[in-house]
């Protein structure tokens, strides 16, 4: 299955475009701000029913317009499936498959998986642990519905417990039993979340290392490690052990809400010692490992969206990545780049179906498998 | 005309009062006020009196804490009902909902809310001590939990359950599962999973 055609109306900077894609590699080249990323985001919509970049749908409506429509055809001719996402300002989002509206939009998620690699991913390295937990949650919950429910339940009880700690401190009283009431709600979700995260990281670590070695030519040694207080103690033990600390701090100081991923290179935090290029390679490898995980768990080959990935890479590394993703284990790929000549040179050296699009005043296919399209 | 700029202070005050009610915005409040203005003085007086009277004279049943005109509510004073079975509910709306089923002949105990520190509600803000007192007196055989199936509702159930463990008592809760008329495909996983685990013998519930 692949996205054969995309049609946008009033989506971001596009009034109306209609593009046919290659089943393998599709490259968009053009200057900054012409809307290369917007095409990838539209594809992201068709898969995960929302934007990768902004959480409010209405900001994706073209300035001055009242609605947007994204239409995509998946597959080849006869069994084409048409996915449509539409938003009229001030109304709820409509999502349709073959003309039939979904009762629950979330039912669509997982049908056409995508993995986005974007400069925005750098927050996984540079920001706090919350970004890394989000990264885990986002992937795991796609295949484990119970996981998301456990996260919601845990966070809700956590909020109530924190509130009690705060109120007790302010009122100068304390009731351990009332705290326990909420702790008991957290024990089971915490254990299950811990197990899911540990299994997820175990799954992706070898994949991640292989990809990094491939991209970097084994110049550095990287590692990825799941850190959780639950690896040594049960949630119950943590609550009991840290109750005095919690009282002083007025919030819950231990639990799976403190989990983190340690991202390391040559045994140091990559955040501290990694160059921009190394950090970027790290993130690309991490996202490709996520790609494999989604493929393994869901049994469907995801579409790979690579937004401006080559920005800080030399031509050798770009060629290496393009060669990697042109291998059989990857399916359809969408790439954006500002560097037309470089992209053209790299593509001319691979031997699979590709299309190169130039974006300026619209989208034009300028190259198909080395030739000008007719 | 903007809604912050009324030609009369009286009008503005009235609109603000209505808009302070849950679910009422400024526009609706304005419409309601304009409607009242068109009514006869006697109608508006009756309207206001009834609201004031409600607040001043409302009583809560001594036994179940349901809203009542008398010291003891109609349900609690009904001798034909089973006073040994007590259904725990959050508020009067739940009493009405269960009464409307026509399936329950026991009595109620209205908690007045559920435990939620976020909303500043602890056990002492609810009628839980009174419930324990009732149980202690010894005339109750069964307690039925009928609180909302939210985390706060469940936590409140659990809290009460722990307090009542010491007494000889049957403690049950409403069964949870697939709603009648629902298609399985559209039932959420948690509910469906629970329905499978807690399935009932065909003879009892499904004929």
């Amino acid at each position: 299955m692949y996205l054969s055609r995309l049609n946008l109306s009033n989506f971001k900077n596009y009034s109306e475009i209609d593009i046919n894609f290659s089943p393998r590699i599709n490259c968009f080249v053009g200057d900054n701000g012409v809307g290369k990323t917007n095409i990838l985001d539209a594809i992201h919509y068709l898969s995960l029913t929302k934007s990768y970049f902004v959480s409010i749908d209405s900001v994706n409506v073209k300035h001055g317009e009242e609605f947007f429509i994204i239409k995509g055809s998946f597959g080849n001719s006869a069994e084409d499936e048409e996915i449509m996402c539409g938003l009229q300002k001030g109304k709820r989002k409509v999502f349709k498959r073959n003309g039939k509206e979904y009762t629950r939009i979330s039912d669509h998620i997982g049908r056409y998986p995508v993995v986005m690699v974007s400069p925005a991913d750098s927050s996984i390295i540079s920001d706090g642990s919350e970004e890394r937990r989000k990264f885990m949650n986002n992937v795991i919950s796609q295949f484990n519905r119970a996981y998301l429910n456990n996260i919601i339940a845990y966070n809700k009880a956590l909020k109530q417990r924190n509130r009690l700690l705060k109120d007790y401190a302010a009122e100068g009283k304390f009731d351990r039993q009332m705290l326990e009431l909420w702790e008991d709600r957290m024990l089971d979700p915490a254990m299950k979340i811990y197990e899911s995260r540990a299994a997820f990281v175990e799954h992706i670590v070898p994949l991640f290392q292989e990809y990094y070695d491939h991209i970097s030519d084994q110049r550095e040694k990287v590692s990825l490690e799941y850190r959780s207080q639950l690896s040594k103690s049960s949630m119950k033990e943590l609550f009991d052990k840290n109750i005095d600390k919690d009282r002083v701090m007025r919030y819950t100081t231990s639990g799976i809400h403190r989990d983190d991923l340690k991202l390391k290179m040559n045994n140091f935090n990559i955040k501290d010692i990694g160059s921009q290029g190394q950090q970027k390679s790290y993130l690309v490898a991490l996202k490709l490992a996520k790609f494999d995980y989604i493929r393994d768990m869901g049994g469907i080959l995801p579409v790979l969206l690579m937004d401006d990935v080559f920005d800080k890479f030399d031509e050798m590394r770009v060629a290496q990545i393009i060669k990697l993703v042109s291998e059989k284990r990857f399916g359809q790929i969408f790439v954006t780049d500002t560097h037309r000549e470089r992209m053209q040179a790299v593509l001319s050296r691979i031997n699979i179906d590709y299309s190169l699009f130039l974006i300026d005043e619209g989208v034009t296919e300028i190259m198909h498998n080395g030739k000008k399209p007719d | 005309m903007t809604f912050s700029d009324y030609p009369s202070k009286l009008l503005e005050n009235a609109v603000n009062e209505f808009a302070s009610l849950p679910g009422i915005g400024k526009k609706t409040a304005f419409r309601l006020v304009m409607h009242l203005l068109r009514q006869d003085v006697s109608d508006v007086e009756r309207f206001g009196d009834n609201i004031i009277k409600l607040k001043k004279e409302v009583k809560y049943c001594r036994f179940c804490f349901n809203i009542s005109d008398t010291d003891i509510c109609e349900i609690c004073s009904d001798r034909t009902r089973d006073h040994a079975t007590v259904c725990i509910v959050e508020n009067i709306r739940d009493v009405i909902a269960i009464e409307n089923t026509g399936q329950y002949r026991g009595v109620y105990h209205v908690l007045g809310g559920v435990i939620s520190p976020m909303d500043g509600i602890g056990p002492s803000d609810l009628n839980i001590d009174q419930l324990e007192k009732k149980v202690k007196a010894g005339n109750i055989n069964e307690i039925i939990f009928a609180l909302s199936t939210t985390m706060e509702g469940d936590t409140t159930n659990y809290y009460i359950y722990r307090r009542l463990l010491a007494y000889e008592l049957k403690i049950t809760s409403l069964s949870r599962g697939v709603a009648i008329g629902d298609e399985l495909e559209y039932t959420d996983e948690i509910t469906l999973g629970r329905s499978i685990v807690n399935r009932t013998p065909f003879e009892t519930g499904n004929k």
Side-chain angles (χ1 to χ4, degrees):
Chain A
M1 271 300 198
Y2 66 96
L3 181 64
S4 52
R5 186 173 169 185
L6 180 72
N7 184 292
L8 303 179
S9 308
N10 297 334
F11 184 74
K12 297 201 173 174
N13 67 322
Y14 295 104
S15 294
E16 187 78 45
I17 54 163
D18 201 343
I19 332 170
N20 289 302
F21 295 125
S22 157
R24 288 297 269 123
I25 297 188
N26 297 278
C27 287
F28 304 96
V29 290
D31 295 335
N32 291 325
V34 292
K36 301 185 293 294
T37 305
N38 293 347
I39 292 180
L40 300 197
D41 205 25
I43 299 169
H44 192 269
Y45 253 104
L46 292 178
S47 166
L48 291 165
T49 75
K50 60 182 183 195
S51 164
Y52 184 78
F53 301 96
V54 286
S55 55
I56 303 163
D57 290 313
S58 59
V59 304
N60 294 317
V61 175
K62 187 171 192 277
H63 190 71
E65 298 291 341
E66 284 304 307
F67 68 92
F68 74 68
I69 295 173
I70 306 168
K71 269 194 225 163
S73 303
F74 286 86
N76 24 17
S77 62
E79 286 145 42
D80 258 19
E81 217 172 66
E82 180 133 318
I83 305 298
M84 190 282 259
C85 177
L87 180 87
Q88 168 113 43
K89 270 191 183 167
K91 293 200 176 148
R92 81 190 158 79
K93 185 161 54 180
V94 175
F95 213 89
K96 289 182 182 174
R97 180 162 76 90
N98 291 332
K100 193 169 176 293
E101 192 175 342
Y102 278 98
T103 338
R104 279 197 310 200
I105 289 183
S106 62
D107 287 343
H108 177 72
I109 295 170
R111 204 172 175 87
Y112 297 108
V114 297
V115 172
M116 171 84 90
V117 189
S118 144
D121 297 336
S122 62
S123 62
I124 295 177
I125 289 180
S126 60
D127 288 12
S129 58
E130 179 161 7
E131 284 300 316
R132 293 179 284 282
R133 287 192 296 276
K134 250 197 227 158
F135 168 73
M136 292 193 276
N137 291 351
N138 170 310
V139 188
I140 300 169
S141 60
Q142 287 184 36
F143 302 98
N144 186 344
R145 293 267 169 118
Y147 179 82
L148 195 62
N149 290 323
N150 281 325
I151 294 265
I152 293 168
Y154 181 93
N155 286 338
K156 221 170 164 183
L158 175 69
K159 248 181 163 172
Q160 298 279 23
R161 185 180 190 268
N162 284 343
R163 182 55 183 264
L164 272 184
L165 285 166
K166 219 175 185 173
D167 287 352
Y168 285 162
E171 294 159 18
K173 60 175 195 177
F174 185 67
D175 183 345
R176 183 80 180 88
Q177 285 209 325
M178 283 311 289
L179 286 173
E180 261 172 18
L181 208 57
W182 299 102
E183 290 166 14
D184 285 351
R185 306 261 132 209
M186 297 159 79
L187 303 181
D188 188 51
M191 202 58 223
K192 291 198 168 123
I193 292 164
Y194 169 73
E195 283 164 3
S196 301
R197 285 178 179 171
F200 165 68
V201 175
E202 198 184 346
H203 189 126
I204 65 164
V205 159
L207 302 165
F208 161 72
Q209 267 162 349
E210 193 195 321
Y211 280 125
Y212 190 88
D213 287 347
H214 196 106
I215 298 168
S216 73
D217 242 357
Q218 307 190 331
R219 257 175 271 171
E220 312 87 28
K221 184 151 176 43
V222 291
S223 66
L224 173 70
E225 203 185 302
Y226 174 44
R227 287 281 173 84
S228 174
Q229 292 161 315
L230 268 88
S231 63
K232 291 194 188 75
S233 326
S234 73
M235 200 65 220
K236 180 113 192 93
E237 288 162 358
L238 288 172
F239 281 134
D240 289 341
K241 199 172 80 188
N242 295 313
I243 182 64
D244 292 336
K245 196 168 158 199
D246 287 0
R247 282 185 72 179
V248 174
M249 300 301 289
R250 305 179 182 196
Y251 62 82
T252 308
T253 56
S254 53
I256 52 122
H257 60 289
R258 312 282 287 185
D259 280 6
D260 201 355
L261 286 173
K262 287 285 163 214
L263 315 179
K264 294 197 163 175
M265 194 173 74
N266 297 335
N267 269 328
F268 292 98
N269 284 335
I270 184 138
K271 183 182 175 183
D272 302 330
I273 65 152
S275 73
Q276 291 199 45
Q278 286 168 328
Q279 295 199 7
K280 203 144 188 187
S281 302
Y282 194 100
L283 289 168
V284 172
L286 188 61
K287 283 303 182 85
L288 293 180
K290 171 181 167 180
F291 179 95
D292 281 6
Y293 179 85
I294 289 181
R295 181 198 56 206
D296 296 348
M297 297 300 285
I300 304 172
L301 207 53
V303 167
L304 186 62
L305 308 173
M306 303 182 95
D307 182 29
D308 210 11
V309 169
F310 305 126
D311 179 33
K312 289 185 185 71
F313 289 155
D314 46 46
E315 194 170 324
M316 196 275 292
R317 217 164 262 218
V318 174
Q320 197 85 314
I321 291 174
I322 288 291
K323 200 174 134 240
L324 180 68
V325 297
S326 64
E327 283 170 14
K328 244 207 178 107
R329 56 180 152 168
F330 289 93
Q332 193 178 24
I333 294 149
F334 294 85
V335 182
T336 69
D337 200 18
T338 44
H339 228 56
R340 178 177 168 178
E341 286 73 29
R342 178 173 74 181
M343 217 58 230
Q344 228 162 320
V346 169
L347 287 171
S348 65
R349 274 181 259 130
I350 56 166
N351 205 11
I352 56 166
D353 195 81
Y354 72 84
S355 292
L356 182 68
F357 301 89
L358 178 69
I359 304 187
D360 42 22
E361 296 283 299
V363 184
T364 351
E365 187 174 9
I366 49 172
M367 196 71 90
H368 185 80
N369 296 339
K371 287 182 234 119
K372 272 208 175 333
D374 10 82
Chain B
M1 183 183 69
T2 64
F3 285 98
S4 57
D5 189 21
Y6 297 96
S8 137
K9 189 75 190 157
L10 290 171
L11 186 61
E12 186 180 331
N13 288 345
V15 169
N16 286 340
E17 290 301 334
F18 274 101
S20 71
L21 298 173
I24 307 261
K26 285 259 165 147
K27 274 188 180 166
T28 307
F30 185 65
R31 211 174 66 229
L32 295 174
V33 170
M34 291 312 287
H35 173 82
L36 285 178
L37 268 183
R38 282 194 298 270
Q39 305 295 304
D40 291 340
V41 173
S42 60
D43 289 333
V44 179
E45 269 173 355
R46 198 185 59 236
F47 181 90
D49 285 348
N50 276 328
I51 306 259
I52 294 164
K53 231 161 117 183
L54 168 74
K55 186 63 195 170
K56 280 190 171 159
E57 296 177 18
V58 74
K59 288 198 180 79
Y60 294 91
C61 170
R62 270 203 293 143
F63 293 126
C64 72
F65 302 96
N66 197 3
I67 292 172
S68 165
D69 289 346
T70 46
D71 256 5
I72 300 170
C73 75
E74 272 182 44
I75 294 171
C76 287
S77 49
D78 184 343
R79 288 170 165 272
T80 67
R81 295 187 79 119
D82 172 13
H83 288 252
T85 304
V86 178
C87 183
I88 315 286
V89 293
E90 199 175 320
N91 56 42
I92 185 173
R93 282 195 304 202
D94 303 328
V95 174
I96 294 169
I98 295 175
E99 280 301 289
N100 283 342
T101 67
Q103 299 288 325
Y104 183 63
R105 293 299 296 162
V107 293
Y108 297 90
H109 185 89
V110 180
L111 285 183
V114 287
I115 299 174
S116 174
M118 295 292 291
D119 302 304
I121 303 174
S124 57
D125 301 307
L126 306 172
N127 301 315
I128 295 177
D129 289 341
Q130 294 88 333
L131 175 68
E132 191 176 354
K133 222 178 269 170
K134 258 198 256 182
V135 171
K136 213 172 186 171
N139 299 321
I140 295 172
N141 296 330
E142 180 176 354
I143 293 278
I144 305 169
F145 287 130
L147 300 181
S148 310
T149 59
T150 57
M151 170 170 285
E152 287 72 23
D154 285 343
T155 305
T156 309
N157 285 342
Y158 183 56
Y159 175 83
I160 298 174
Y161 170 77
R162 288 209 313 201
R163 277 188 55 172
L164 299 183
L165 261 183
Y167 305 96
E168 197 154 311
L169 196 65
K170 183 174 167 191
I171 300 182
T172 57
S173 84
L174 294 191
S175 65
R176 297 170 186 185
V178 181
I180 291 171
D182 261 10
E183 289 185 44
L184 283 198
E185 194 189 343
Y186 296 116
T187 308
D188 70 280
E189 289 88 356
I190 298 179
T191 307
L192 192 54
R194 218 178 146 135
S195 303
I196 290 276
V197 174
N198 300 335
R199 61 194 181 277
T200 51
F202 188 72
E203 291 291 318
T204 52
N206 307 291
K207 271 199 293 195

